[in-house]
């Protein structure tokens, strides 16, 4: 099996998993929000961690409540958009458009992961400062 064929199969599998996830996520959103416990940091230390509101943010985003999603956790909101854009570019790269292949390579690189980790750290510090102010 060629490298190109493996790439196409991987994208098709990701598409199928994403569709299944969306169909499962939508009806379970309300139930899952009620099931998840309160944040450990809020319960024990009195301040929100950088991930606080992340799960509710994802459910609100896919429920179409974008303002509510952004207000719950701006970092997760932009991470969702980043993943969606990456996913769209990944699918468009199947048409052998070099721009999208290069974009996917850059967006899915370790440098991008480090960039997100730095943003997560800075967001966490700012969020903690705002909690104590």
């Amino acid at each position: 099996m060629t490298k190109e064929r493996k790439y196409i199969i991987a994208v098709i599998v990701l598409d199928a998993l994403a569709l299944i996830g969306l169909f499962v996520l939508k009806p379970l959103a309300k139930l899952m929000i009620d099931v998840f416990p309160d944040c450990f940091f809020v319960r024990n230390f009195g301040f929100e961690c950088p991930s606080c509101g992340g799960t509710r943010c994802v459910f609100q985003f896919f429920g179409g409540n974008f303002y509510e999603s952004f207000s719950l956790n701006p970092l997760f909101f932009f991470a969702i958009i980043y993943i969606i854009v990456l996913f769209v570019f990944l699918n468009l790269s199947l048409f052998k458009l070099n721009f999208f292949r290069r974009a996917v390579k850059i967006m899915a690189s370790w440098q991008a992961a480090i960039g997100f980790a730095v943003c997560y750290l800075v967001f966490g510090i700012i969020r903690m400062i705002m909690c104590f102010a």
Side-chain angles (χ1 to χ4, degrees):
M1 189 178 296
T2 67
K3 186 176 181 180
E4 183 70 24
R5 188 159 174 84
K6 287 180 184 179
Y7 184 79
I8 291 170
I9 291 171
V11 172
I12 291 171
V13 168
L14 285 173
D15 287 346
L17 290 173
L19 286 173
I20 291 169
L22 284 175
F23 284 117
V24 170
L25 187 67
K26 183 78 171 165
L28 292 178
K30 177 73 173 136
L31 173 69
M32 292 178 80
I33 288 174
D34 294 337
V35 171
F36 283 106
D38 292 337
C39 178
F40 172 81
F41 284 91
V42 172
R43 198 173 48 236
N44 294 317
F45 303 113
F47 63 89
E48 295 181 337
C49 70
S51 297
C52 275
T55 304
R56 288 173 286 145
C57 171
V58 171
F59 290 132
Q60 293 294 337
F61 185 91
F62 288 110
N65 304 323
F66 302 117
Y67 178 77
E68 180 70 20
S69 175
F70 181 81
S71 66
L72 286 168
N73 193 317
L75 181 69
F76 271 52
F77 181 82
F78 288 116
I80 294 167
I81 292 173
Y82 185 85
I83 291 169
I84 290 171
V85 169
L86 176 62
F87 193 73
V88 168
F89 282 11
L90 184 64
N91 280 282
L92 290 173
S93 71
L94 290 179
F95 298 107
K96 297 184 181 171
L97 301 169
N98 286 334
F99 169 77
F100 294 110
R101 289 215 174 182
R102 283 193 303 257
V104 167
K105 191 176 272 191
I106 292 168
M107 291 176 75
S109 68
W110 62 270
Q111 291 96 337
I114 289 174
F116 182 76
V118 168
C119 289
Y120 187 80
L121 180 66
V122 170
F123 178 76
I125 291 168
I126 292 170
R127 196 169 210 183
M128 281 189 256
I129 290 170
M130 288 174 57
C131 284
F132 292 118

